[in-house]
Amino acid sequence: MVRAVEPHFPRALRAPGAPRGFALEFEEPLPLACGRNLSPFTIAYQTYGELNRARSNAVLVCHALSGDQFVAGKHPMTGRTGWWEAMIGSGKPIDTERYFVLCPNVIGGCMGSTGPADTNPATGKPYALNFPVVTIADMMRAEALLLDVLGIEKLLCVTGGSMGGMQVLQWAAAYPDRVASAMPIATAARHTAQNIALHEIGRQAIMADGNWRGGRYLEKNVRPERGLAIARMVGHISYLSEEALARKFGRSLQHRNALSFAFEPDFQVESYLHHQGTTFAERFDANSYLYITRAMDYFDLAADHGGDLKNAFRKVTARFLVVSFTSDWLFPTSENRAIAEALREAGAKVEFHEIVSHRGHDAFLLDEPQLFSQVRNFLGSVAAQQGIA
Amino acid sequence: MVRAVEPHFPRALRAPGAPRGFALEFEEPLPLACGRNLSPFTIAYQTYGELNRARSNAVLVCHALSGDQFVAGKHPMTGRTGWWEAMIGSGKPIDTERYFVLCPNVIGGCMGSTGPADTNPATGKPYALNFPVVTIADMMRAEALLLDVLGIEKLLCVTGGSMGGMQVLQWAAAYPDRVASAMPIATAARHTAQNIALHEIGRQAIMADGNWRGGRYLEKNVRPERGLAIARMVGHISYLSEEALARKFGRSLQHRNALSFAFEPDFQVESYLHHQGTTFAERFDANSYLYITRAMDYFDLAADHGGDLKNAFRKVTARFLVVSFTSDWLFPTSENRAIAEALREAGAKVEFHEIVSHRGHDAFLLDEPQLFSQVRNFLGSVAAQQGIA
């Protein structure tokens, strides 16, 4: 039993006129890697463009840690544009005149898909830490059910960057017959020790916040915003390269011609981090941050396939475009190249491109003409092969 | 007026039999960059080896952010060995049979030199945030006064890594007649935007801790240990390279054969960070962490000399050995090379070595045979030139 429901957002909408997208509630339990089931569960999603009659022009876009289903256009909660506005839309590399773009919010998230802020039917209170620890594979299992309901048997393409790229790899490995092409960008087939360490600092900052209350902050009507802001600051440093920070801020001072000899932000880079942290804490759920970072840390596609990544791709028939950026130290070229090599060894068709950029991991979200042209050409070629007008 | 006092340590001594070093209290006010004076002020220090009759064999060792004056032997507070045990001692690269090693605790620190945990004579309570924001130059000004009292007119060498290296550069620039040689290691002439950003996260974690109490935690008999531990975790990630973390921990699990699907540490790298954070919080003062990181962030030797680093070194007569490590991303080779180049342009004699190491910034503290032989040879050559037996 599946029914359409109103998407539920965690905070007041700043752009109430913007499209709110869709949500489906599934009664059937979702089996999870931890051994538990999630029931009921909801997947919120947004779509762009139109599904053709053959239902063959669907592009599944997978969002990153702090992203959501609103990839383009005005975001209903923040009033700003979507996170992949430069990539998706009419005439853009993923052209919504030609393709039907579908982006679901991940299970564990906080923009309408079931997560730790939602009500636990067993208690009538928010799940908080009673929410099961979910994995990337769990998220993709839920999304496969969504595609079933939407009648999409096979995706033209699945794409995403960062954690979105992990989902792409998981999707291609778990549902090889359901995807004609895949574009994992700035990602890895497993989270490294350094990345786990960075996430753990964010989680510790959230859990150390006095307002976290063992995760039950919603019941107490408080929010661990300071801890969540610190977690986001750690993230931001890892998303930018040293060079990007140097170019953007250097040692420039904020609102002052001299040092303050105090502990308020003196440097622009400090003010930038504070701003990023504060605005994120206003729109994101702290427990969701714990769950989604844990899902990324747990991701290890090779370990799930006998310790050899190429085994994960044995049944792959999809064509792949793998992209990395030179200054990305969170998901460096070496990790992306390892994906491309494993795919090749498994017999898949794969293009690999390393794009020169000083912008670090964030490059995949920014105006990167080389990325745009590669995505446009790859997708166009796949679409032509699949007979899509 | 200067008098010898008993060094004051922040916590109970775990190795009460270990040498406690020395401390001198100065009544004369120390003028600071912020415009205030510090009075009285104490400098705690430790010495190794013997000062020769000519007082010409003194090597000033400058400690890093989390270090202190106990460079070698058993540390009185932790019971562990000093932070540069591999470098300093009888027969070691900085040979205490030949050289007199002197290491002061920096002003703003918490191992006996005056810092924010000490009593503010104006209020009779701990300074906390009423302690003035001090700079690297302020720290060196205090140490020059210490050398005056000890009757050391000219140092054979001044050396240190990381923040210790900043002190070396400041010392050579501010007191060019008082130093025959200098070895700045794994350091920079200014803190970069990325490094400021990492420090700001640590400071925010401390100040967000409910026990911080606006900095007045000592009066309330509590300590912001959780925030300080998070700050230390951020530091540790930056001290190790991605490769070092991958080699040391990879994705190895802690005490378990399977994932826990919970938020306790699953991965060894998480447990390692927790351990590093907790043990640091037991021995270090949180406000000192704020003050010392601020001093590092403020450091910009070129800015203090009309924006051109070579101007800082115009009067330098010392010979320099500058060392960097390939995998150090906190103080990368580019920053160290810039120091060597500015020195050369200013007419100084300088050797520059980049050592291949996968260990990241921490390499300067570890068993690195190339570093040891370079330090030994350089120092031996300087000593011979200065006529030291």
Side-chain angles (χ1 to χ4, degrees):
Chain A
M1 168 84 183
V2 180
R3 65 189 183 98
V5 294
E6 189 71 7
H8 170 75
F9 301 140
R11 300 284 181 102
L13 302 186
R14 291 208 178 155
R20 300 185 58 173
F22 310 96
L24 290 177
E25 188 185 88
F26 294 73
E27 217 169 66
E28 191 190 334
L30 181 71
L32 302 172
C34 64
R36 291 168 62 187
N37 288 319
L38 191 63
S39 172
F41 71 96
T42 298
I43 305 181
Y45 62 98
Q46 181 55 299
T47 69
Y48 306 83
E50 283 182 32
L51 190 61
N52 62 14
R53 285 209 178 167
R55 297 174 185 265
S56 62
N57 68 333
V59 175
L60 179 68
V61 173
C62 303
H63 70 73
L65 166 56
S66 64
D68 55 39
Q69 63 270 41
F70 298 103
V71 297
K74 195 176 258 192
H75 191 292
M77 213 169 89
T78 66
R80 296 194 298 265
T81 53
W83 56 270
W84 231 3
E85 178 75 19
M87 183 66 90
I88 293 167
S90 175
K92 292 185 180 170
I94 301 179
D95 189 347
T96 50
E97 302 292 332
R98 193 172 185 193
Y99 311 117
F100 173 68
V101 170
L102 168 69
C103 183
N105 184 219
V106 296
I107 291 287
C110 53
M111 275 299 284
S113 291
T114 302
D118 288 303
T119 302
N120 179 353
T123 64
K125 293 176 182 170
Y127 274 108
L129 290 206
N130 288 322
F131 193 76
V133 168
V134 292
T135 64
I136 301 288
D138 294 334
M139 296 169 179
M140 293 307 95
R141 202 173 299 115
E143 293 181 12
L145 295 172
L146 171 66
L147 290 194
D148 291 344
V149 173
L150 299 180
I152 299 168
E153 178 56 34
K154 187 166 187 170
L155 292 164
L156 179 66
C157 188
V158 53
T159 186
S162 199
M163 183 183 83
M166 292 177 165
Q167 296 168 59
V168 172
L169 299 178
Q170 176 63 33
W171 184 268
Y175 310 99
D177 301 330
R178 298 191 71 171
V179 54
S181 73
M183 300 189 293
I185 300 170
T187 191
R190 43 136 213 198
H191 227 208
T192 63
Q194 190 179 59
N195 289 1
I196 293 170
L198 289 164
H199 274 173
E200 178 61 4
I201 287 170
R203 286 190 293 262
Q204 287 298 316
I206 289 167
M207 295 194 282
D209 188 314
N211 280 347
W212 184 64
R213 311 280 178 95
R216 299 176 67 173
Y217 49 88
L218 292 178
E219 286 178 57
K220 317 284 182 187
N221 213 21
V222 291
R223 284 175 190 266
E225 292 190 335
R226 211 157 165 187
L228 181 56
I230 291 171
R232 178 64 165 172
M233 291 183 206
V234 177
H236 257 278
I237 292 180
S238 70
Y239 305 150
L240 272 69
S241 68
E242 195 281 326
E243 188 186 348
L245 284 164
R247 283 189 187 207
K248 201 165 178 170
F249 306 109
R251 294 181 50 84
S252 301
L253 300 178
Q254 181 77 6
H255 304 314
R256 285 189 191 92
N257 295 317
L259 298 169
S260 69
F261 292 96
F263 292 101
E264 294 300 302
D266 265 326
F267 297 98
Q268 285 181 10
V269 67
E270 294 174 305
S271 299
Y272 167 80
L273 284 181
H274 286 227
H275 174 75
Q276 294 294 338
T278 310
T279 54
F280 182 68
E282 281 170 8
R283 73 171 170 88
F284 212 84
D285 176 63
N287 284 339
S288 271
Y289 199 87
L290 302 182
Y291 278 87
I292 299 178
T293 55
R294 202 59 162 162
M296 292 178 75
D297 292 353
Y298 274 18
F299 188 63
D300 187 347
L301 198 53
D304 295 344
H305 293 83
D308 190 343
L309 187 56
K310 67 175 179 290
N311 291 340
F313 300 133
R314 287 285 179 213
K315 293 182 183 168
V316 157
T317 56
R319 288 171 57 184
F320 270 76
L321 171 67
V322 180
V323 180
S324 73
F325 297 91
T326 48
S327 58
D328 184 346
W329 61 277
L330 200 60
F331 293 97
T333 288
S334 55
E335 296 290 324
N336 291 279
R337 185 176 283 129
I339 294 166
E341 282 170 5
L343 281 162
R344 256 183 220 124
E345 287 173 18
K349 279 186 197 159
V350 53
E351 285 177 50
F352 171 63
H353 294 286
E354 184 189 31
I355 295 176
V356 176
S357 168
H358 70 269
R359 287 153 143 181
H361 183 60
D362 256 4
F364 88 88
L365 297 168
L366 303 174
D367 182 23
E368 287 285 347
Q370 265 195 281
L371 175 65
F372 295 159
S373 67
Q374 277 158 15
V375 166
R376 187 188 294 276
N377 294 342
F378 176 80
L379 204 51
S381 156
V382 171
Q385 204 176 24
Q386 302 288 321
I388 289 161
Chain B
M1 169 81 181
V2 179
R3 65 188 184 98
V5 294
E6 189 71 9
H8 170 75
F9 300 141
R11 300 283 182 103
L13 302 186
R14 291 209 177 153
R20 301 186 55 173
F22 311 96
L24 289 177
E25 186 185 271
F26 294 73
E27 216 170 67
E28 191 190 334
L30 180 71
L32 303 171
C34 65
R36 292 168 60 186
N37 289 319
L38 191 62
S39 172
F41 71 97
T42 298
I43 305 181
Y45 61 99
Q46 180 57 299
T47 69
Y48 306 83
E50 282 182 33
L51 191 60
N52 62 14
R53 286 209 180 167
R55 298 175 185 263
S56 61
N57 68 335
V59 175
L60 178 68
V61 173
C62 303
H63 69 75
L65 165 56
S66 63
D68 56 39
Q69 64 271 41
F70 297 103
V71 298
K74 196 176 255 192
H75 191 292
M77 213 170 88
T78 66
R80 295 195 298 266
T81 52
W83 57 270
W84 232 2
E85 179 75 20
M87 182 67 88
I88 294 167
S90 174
K92 293 186 180 170
I94 302 178
D95 189 347
T96 51
E97 301 292 333
R98 194 172 185 193
Y99 311 116
F100 173 68
V101 171
L102 168 69
C103 183
N105 183 220
V106 297
I107 292 286
C110 53
M111 275 299 285
S113 290
T114 302
D118 288 304
T119 302
N120 180 353
T123 64
K125 294 177 182 169
Y127 274 107
L129 291 207
N130 288 323
F131 194 76
V133 168
V134 293
T135 65
I136 301 288
D138 294 334
M139 295 171 180
M140 294 307 94
R141 203 173 298 116
E143 292 179 13
L145 295 172
L146 171 67
L147 290 193
D148 291 345
V149 174
L150 299 179
I152 300 168
E153 177 58 32
K154 187 166 185 169
L155 292 164
L156 179 67
C157 188
V158 53
T159 187
S162 197
M163 184 183 82
M166 291 177 167
Q167 295 168 60
V168 172
L169 299 179
Q170 175 63 32
W171 184 267
Y175 310 99
D177 300 331
R178 298 191 72 170
V179 54
S181 72
M183 300 190 292
I185 301 171
T187 192
R190 44 134 213 200
H191 226 209
T192 63
Q194 190 179 56
N195 289 0
I196 294 171
L198 288 164
H199 273 172
E200 176 62 4
I201 286 170
R203 287 191 293 262
Q204 287 298 316
I206 290 167
M207 296 194 281
D209 188 314
N211 280 347
W212 185 63
R213 311 279 177 97
R216 299 176 68 172
Y217 49 88
L218 293 178
E219 285 178 58
K220 317 285 181 185
N221 212 23
V222 291
R223 283 175 191 266
E225 292 190 335
R226 212 157 165 188
L228 181 56
I230 292 172
R232 179 63 165 170
M233 292 184 206
V234 177
H236 257 277
I237 292 180
S238 71
Y239 304 150
L240 271 70
S241 67
E242 195 282 327
E243 188 186 345
L245 284 165
R247 284 189 187 208
K248 201 165 179 170
F249 306 109
R251 295 180 51 84
S252 301
L253 299 179
Q254 180 78 7
H255 304 314
R256 286 189 191 93
N257 295 317
L259 298 169
S260 70
F261 291 97
F263 292 101
E264 292 302 302
D266 264 326
F267 297 99
Q268 285 181 11
V269 67
E270 293 175 306
S271 298
Y272 167 81
L273 285 182
H274 285 228
H275 175 75
Q276 294 295 337
T278 310
T279 54
F280 182 68
E282 280 170 10
R283 73 172 170 88
F284 212 84
D285 176 63
N287 284 339
S288 270
Y289 199 86
L290 301 182
Y291 279 87
I292 299 177
T293 54
R294 202 59 162 163
M296 291 178 76
D297 293 352
Y298 275 16
F299 188 63
D300 187 347
L301 198 53
D304 295 344
H305 292 83
D308 190 344
L309 186 57
K310 67 175 179 291
N311 290 340
F313 300 134
R314 288 283 180 215
K315 294 182 183 169
V316 157
T317 56
R319 288 172 55 185
F320 271 77
L321 172 67
V322 179
V323 180
S324 72
F325 298 92
T326 48
S327 57
D328 184 347
W329 61 275
L330 200 59
F331 293 97
T333 288
S334 55
E335 296 290 323
N336 290 279
R337 184 176 284 129
I339 294 167
E341 281 170 5
L343 281 162
R344 256 184 219 122
E345 286 173 18
K349 280 188 196 158
V350 53
E351 284 176 51
F352 170 64
H353 294 286
E354 183 188 32
I355 295 176
V356 175
S357 168
H358 69 270
R359 287 153 141 181
H361 183 59
D362 256 5
F364 88 88
L365 298 167
L366 303 174
D367 182 23
E368 287 284 347
Q370 263 195 282
L371 175 66
F372 295 158
S373 67
Q374 277 157 14
V375 166
R376 187 188 293 276
N377 294 342
F378 177 81
L379 204 51
S381 157
V382 171
Q385 203 177 26
Q386 301 287 321
I388 290 160

